[in-house]
Amino acid sequence: MTNTTVLISGASVAGPALAFWLERYGYRPTVVERAPEPRPGGYAVDFRGASLKVLDRMGLLAQVQARTTGMGEMTYVKESGKPVAVMTSKVLSGELEVLRGDLVEILYDATRAKVEYLFDDSIAALTQDGTGVDVTFERGGSRRFDLVIGADGLHSNVRRLAFGDESKYLHDLGYYNSVFTVENHLGLDHTARFVNVPGKTAGTYSAGNNAAKALFYFASKPLTYDRNDIAAQQRLLSNAFAGVGWEVPRLLSGIETSPDWYFDAVSQIKMPNYSVGRVALAGDAGYCASPLSGMGTSLAVVGAYVLAGELLAADGDHLRAFAAYDDRMRGFVEACQKQGKDGAQWFVPGSKAFLMLRNLTFKFMPYLPWRKLIDELPLKVGNAIDLPDYEAEAKVGVRDGVGVSGSGDRLRQPGAPRR
Ligand SMILES: Cc1cc2nc3c(=O)[nH]c(=O)nc-3n(C[C@H](O)[C@H](O)[C@H](O)COP(=O)(O)OP(=O)(O)OC[C@H]3O[C@@H](n4cnc5c(N)ncnc54)[C@H](O)[C@@H]3O)c2cc1C
């Protein structure tokens, strides 16, 4: 096997999931993470369709299920607090929902004994040539790896270093989004409440303890602010929701005491290729579909599985493997990104008329003949990829049911890559 050492940047979802599979296939992955430890807490993320199959193949499905948030329905209320519509948990939380921090912990625990983790560090520079990639770390020191994978999220460092400025690939969907922990002052128990005014959505959800999450979305042209200046971001959010009723002032009053804070533009990443030479991208770094898609975690887990699997299938030949990875993932990524874009108008209706239509649709959903179709749409997107059983194929030397002659355990390349 060629290309055995792989440096992965990012220890959230895609990074550790990729390290899991690479280690299992005989590679030597190293994961570098900017944070000093696996990041705890965070918002709820969900799994749909094919990603559950991947968790099952990892032997981690039961562990993730044991940490499910078990969220129920979400109620939309008017500014007066009067309920107007209900969204089912299937649409809201997918087939399985966990807190991002719980998932990160499970993936880290499943890999930490066999994978080298470098916390509190980041890649400062990388230079690739025909046989490897020279990496310089921020905390000093240089090492050479056969391959480098960027699994470092929407604002990927590896993407910037290997593919160029983020602005070339980032597509702004026209919204900002903020999440932070607040007191569960409504006593919510596995439920969520949200209020809308045109172009703005605010709400809170809790899995039934003292803490709840406050979640905000608002439509806006691109705003200029310092990404390190939290106070400035908090002012932007408070200004955007000034005058909105219901519990919004109370939720905003929790900003200053919240132990955590997330604020960013809602964006997608669209790359013409997920790799350049010996460097490839996985998860949000390569194909962020935005939180509005509800598919980011599924994409990260599935992408990691496919990338490692294609390396196995190509016996470490990175050019063949990266091309096959691109080819297999692209349709799935496009379906998830479409769902992110289409979902925006339903979650953050832009006009009073559409808001009324949205509420009426949810209100009469139980009686609508096409209810099942709407309920199952996210599942259809979640299953919009065929997942080969790479390990089984590697053992018998077949791919897509076609035997491979002459090459022992080597696998047949899937369809020509879309480049
Ligand atoms: C508010 C919000 C709500 C969401 N809701 C959902 C949902 O309901 N369902 C769903 O499926 N998805 C949801 N998502 C999306 C989901 O969180 C992401 O798609 C998923 O976490 C992607 O995983 P990832 O590993 O690719 O990237 P990330 O989770 O973004 O992780 C990137 C990692 O790289 C690290 N890193 C960054 N820069 C560097 C660097 N320079 N050097 C080293 N390490 C670095 C970061 O610290 C982080 O650990 C939501 C996202 C947000 C922001």
Side-chain angles (χ1 to χ4, degrees):
M1 186 172 72
T2 52
N3 292 325
T4 53
T5 57
V6 184
L7 176 65
I8 300 166
S9 175
S12 175
V13 182
L18 179 62
F20 175 97
W21 288 109
L22 288 178
E23 191 281 325
R24 183 139 138 186
Y25 298 156
Y27 290 81
R28 282 189 289 131
T30 296
V31 182
V32 58
E33 164 62 48
R34 189 177 52 188
E37 57 186 1
R39 296 206 341 245
Y43 40 82
V45 295
D46 39 31
F47 289 94
R48 293 177 164 90
S51 57
L52 289 163
K53 204 184 274 179
V54 176
L55 286 182
D56 193 27
R57 288 181 187 170
M58 292 172 95
L60 298 177
L61 184 58
Q63 276 187 59
V64 179
Q65 279 168 336
R67 303 268 197 113
T68 177
T69 59
M71 285 293 287
E73 293 173 340
M74 172 174 123
T75 305
Y76 284 109
V77 298
K78 286 187 169 181
E79 284 185 88
S80 63
K82 188 178 168 212
V84 278
V86 168
M87 199 165 144
T88 65
S89 67
K90 208 169 179 186
V91 175
L92 181 69
S93 310
E95 292 167 273
L96 175 59
E97 183 182 71
V98 287
L99 291 181
R100 199 190 65 97
D102 287 349
L103 177 64
V104 171
E105 190 183 312
I106 290 169
L107 292 171
Y108 177 58
D109 284 348
T111 48
R112 63 193 297 184
K114 292 181 182 165
V115 170
E116 178 189 23
Y117 276 89
L118 310 172
F119 285 102
D120 208 4
D121 208 350
S122 174
I123 300 172
L126 52 83
T127 318
Q128 54 172 315
D129 56 37
T131 57
V133 190
D134 288 315
V135 174
T136 310
F137 291 95
E138 273 181 6
R139 286 164 67 87
S142 303
R143 283 168 66 176
R144 188 169 171 83
F145 294 88
D146 295 325
L147 305 172
V148 172
I149 312 294
D152 42 6
L154 175 61
H155 302 293
S156 168
N157 181 42
V158 169
R159 190 181 59 231
R160 181 176 54 80
L161 293 171
F163 295 79
D165 198 71
E166 164 171 306
S167 57
K168 290 201 269 182
Y169 310 111
L170 191 127
H171 292 248
D172 183 3
L173 293 189
Y175 302 90
Y176 282 81
N177 143 258
S178 178
V179 189
F180 50 94
T181 301
V182 290
E183 193 194 328
N184 184 9
H185 76 279
L186 294 176
L188 300 177
D189 186 4
H190 294 89
T191 52
R193 297 242 175 95
F194 278 82
V195 71
N196 288 105
V197 294
K200 292 171 194 177
T201 297
T204 175
Y205 60 89
S206 175
N209 46 34
N210 291 331
K213 299 284 171 197
L215 181 65
F216 294 83
Y217 278 84
F218 62 97
S220 169
K221 292 203 172 91
L223 300 169
T224 309
Y225 62 94
D226 178 350
R227 287 193 52 217
N228 298 314
D229 187 347
I230 290 179
Q233 296 165 26
Q234 293 177 339
R235 277 195 300 278
L236 283 173
L237 183 69
S238 297
N239 290 340
F241 282 85
V244 180
W246 183 60
E247 300 287 335
V248 170
R250 172 87 190 245
L251 292 174
L252 287 171
S253 74
I255 277 186
E256 278 162 23
T257 48
S258 178
D260 48 31
W261 172 254
Y262 175 88
F263 182 87
D264 206 345
V266 178
S267 315
Q268 295 185 332
I269 295 295
K270 296 191 178 183
M271 306 289 300
N273 298 299
Y274 304 139
S275 64
V276 53
R278 294 179 166 272
V279 180
L281 302 171
D284 275 9
Y287 30 78
C288 178
S290 92
L292 286 167
S293 72
M295 289 302 299
T297 313
S298 294
L299 269 171
V301 166
V302 168
Y305 174 78
V306 173
L307 178 50
E310 293 299 344
L311 277 164
L312 175 70
D315 210 10
D317 176 343
H318 65 284
L319 292 178
R320 271 179 58 206
F322 289 170
Y325 163 61
D326 205 306
D327 194 38
R328 192 167 289 278
M329 286 298 291
R330 203 156 278 276
F332 184 43
V333 168
E334 283 167 5
C336 295
Q337 293 192 330
K338 183 174 182 316
Q339 177 156 289
K341 223 171 160 196
D342 295 350
Q345 58 175 329
W346 286 88
F347 195 58
V348 198
S351 66
K352 266 191 172 170
F354 194 80
L355 181 51
M356 271 176 64
L357 177 72
R358 195 277 315 264
N359 288 346
L360 280 173
T361 307
F362 282 132
K363 193 168 174 180
F364 292 107
M365 185 83 92
Y367 317 104
L368 295 177
W370 56 88
R371 176 196 171 172
K372 217 167 161 255
L373 266 177
I374 297 177
D375 252 8
E376 285 176 1
L377 190 65
L379 188 60
K380 209 171 154 203
V381 173
N383 278 319
I385 183 166
D386 277 336
L387 289 184
D389 187 341
Y390 292 105
E391 269 181 308
E393 289 180 359
K395 277 183 197 139
V396 295
V398 292
R399 163 59 67 87
D400 297 337
V402 180
V404 182
S405 60
S407 57
D409 60 356
R410 299 239 172 167
L411 305 177
R412 191 177 70 87
Q413 179 83 339
R418 218 181 285 149
R419 300 251 104 196

